[in-house]
Amino acid sequence: MRRPIVLSATMAGLLIVAGCAPGPDETVDRAFQDVNVIDETDLSDIMLTVADPDEAVNYFKRTIKTNPDRIDVRRGLAVSYTRGKRYTEAVPAWKKVVEHPGSNPGDSVQYADNLIRSGDWATAETVLDTIPPTFETFDRYRLEAMVADSNKEWKKADSFYEIAVGLTTKPANVMNNWGYSKLSRGDIKEAERLFGEAIREDPTLFTAKNNLVLARGTQRDYTLPVIPMDQIERAQLLHTLGLAAIKQGDVSQGKALLKDSIDTHPQYFEPAVRALEALEQTTTTG
């Protein structure tokens, strides 16, 4: 007579345990929630790196509707606008990131960067002034140098450029900017040196090559420097020298350089052709 009672008690205990444990549907739901969190993180990383910027913008805009308080989502949207060179839209997006309680000084640097790209130098300077001096990064000092340049605060600009160069393993672009700053001040020799340093750091940086040739042209030196260049680059640099010569009043030298650039270029070099035709028409008319 006792056996059924024991079985009943055992069954009752199992039912109680079963009642406390999650059901199969609940377990599956929780598992999928964990997977969704992982997938969302991976997808966000993809959107911020290899995805098309416009597609990334749409993704983060959709995600913000359901997660308006998440700073990583707002930051993702701002980064995506920047990647797509949509600076007018990036500025208010970064402003919202900076105003979020979870923002950091790096966000303010990005905000200032996009303000400069959109032409609002005054606000960019104000934003940079809010960043603690202990936050020392290459991007921060690169922007500080650019702002100082725009204000013609040359000593500050030189100081910031020097700090920025020391904070990166790839200083070519900032050296090029520093060189252009020196060129705009009339310090041609120092500009040439910095352009040369930039080219040594990155032999593919054409803007530094072009600036170096421009600096030589302002001194009526119409020979190409000994730097790495392919045939197309050589033609483009000869074109720059030709225009520099014409600007200096050395018209015959400019014509010769333009013709040389046209002959050197492996394809039809329209900018040089147009410049030469305009020059010849002016000479004929005159």
Side-chain angles (χ1 to χ4, degrees):
M1 293 295 293
R2 291 181 180 177
R3 189 165 182 167
I5 295 173
V6 172
L7 287 173
S8 297
T10 303
M11 290 299 294
L14 289 172
L15 288 171
I16 291 170
V17 172
C20 294
D25 290 342
E26 187 179 351
T27 303
V28 170
D29 286 343
R30 288 181 182 176
F32 272 116
Q33 286 173 6
D34 292 339
V35 171
N36 286 339
V37 170
I38 296 169
D39 288 347
E40 181 185 350
T41 302
D42 291 344
L43 184 56
S44 293
D45 289 342
I46 291 170
M47 289 296 173
L48 289 172
T49 52
V50 298
D52 176 79
D54 292 335
E55 183 182 349
V57 165
N58 293 333
Y59 166 77
F60 285 110
K61 285 173 76 173
R62 287 194 304 269
T63 308
I64 279 177
K65 289 180 181 178
T66 53
N67 300 274
D69 297 327
R70 280 180 52 182
I71 190 170
D72 61 318
V73 178
R74 291 204 169 276
R75 189 180 287 121
L77 177 61
V79 169
S80 301
Y81 277 133
T82 301
R83 285 183 61 225
K85 296 180 170 56
R86 296 164 61 173
Y87 303 121
T88 301
E89 296 163 287
V91 165
W94 278 112
K95 187 172 187 291
K96 289 181 180 178
V97 172
V98 169
E99 291 171 346
H100 192 284
S103 70
N104 58 55
D107 295 325
S108 295
V109 171
Q110 291 299 318
Y111 181 30
D113 191 351
N114 282 269
L115 284 163
I116 289 173
R117 291 175 189 274
S118 63
D120 191 350
W121 290 80
T123 306
E125 183 175 7
T126 300
V127 171
L128 288 171
D129 287 344
T130 67
I131 300 173
T134 52
F135 187 76
E136 298 183 309
T137 66
F138 166 72
D139 283 331
R140 189 260 176 89
Y141 284 110
R142 174 179 62 85
L143 297 179
E144 295 276 18
M146 292 169 65
V147 169
D149 252 346
S150 71
N151 293 333
K152 297 184 178 180
E153 298 172 324
W154 307 130
K155 287 185 178 180
K156 286 178 66 176
D158 287 340
S159 175
F160 288 138
Y161 277 126
E162 186 174 4
I163 294 171
V165 166
L167 290 174
T168 180
T169 58
K170 297 179 179 180
N173 278 300
V174 73
M175 283 178 168
N176 177 60
N177 290 346
W178 194 0
Y180 194 82
S181 172
K182 291 287 188 180
L183 184 61
S184 67
R185 309 177 211 174
D187 190 350
I188 310 299
K189 292 300 181 184
E190 184 63 11
E192 284 191 75
R193 184 189 70 79
L194 286 164
F195 294 140
E197 289 288 338
I199 295 165
R200 276 189 286 276
E201 288 289 337
D202 181 3
T204 68
L205 188 60
F206 179 75
T207 53
K209 298 176 187 180
N210 200 60
N211 285 335
L212 176 58
V213 165
L214 186 61
R216 291 166 71 93
T218 60
Q219 302 171 84
R220 285 191 160 87
D221 182 351
Y222 302 129
T223 58
L224 290 179
V226 181
I227 54 175
M229 68 181 83
D230 58 30
Q231 191 174 353
I232 291 176
E233 287 179 328
R234 183 179 181 85
Q236 292 171 326
L237 295 175
L238 286 168
H239 175 236
T240 297
L241 271 179
L243 296 179
I246 294 164
K247 187 175 181 181
Q248 298 276 27
D250 300 328
V251 178
S252 59
Q253 182 74 55
K255 274 187 178 182
L257 288 164
L258 289 175
K259 288 177 181 177
D260 197 3
S261 72
I262 293 167
D263 293 338
T264 301
H265 203 290
Q267 289 96 31
Y268 179 73
F269 193 10
E270 185 177 354
V273 171
R274 282 203 314 268
L276 184 59
E277 288 176 348
L279 186 61
E280 288 177 340
Q281 286 175 5
T282 302
T283 305
T284 303
T285 304

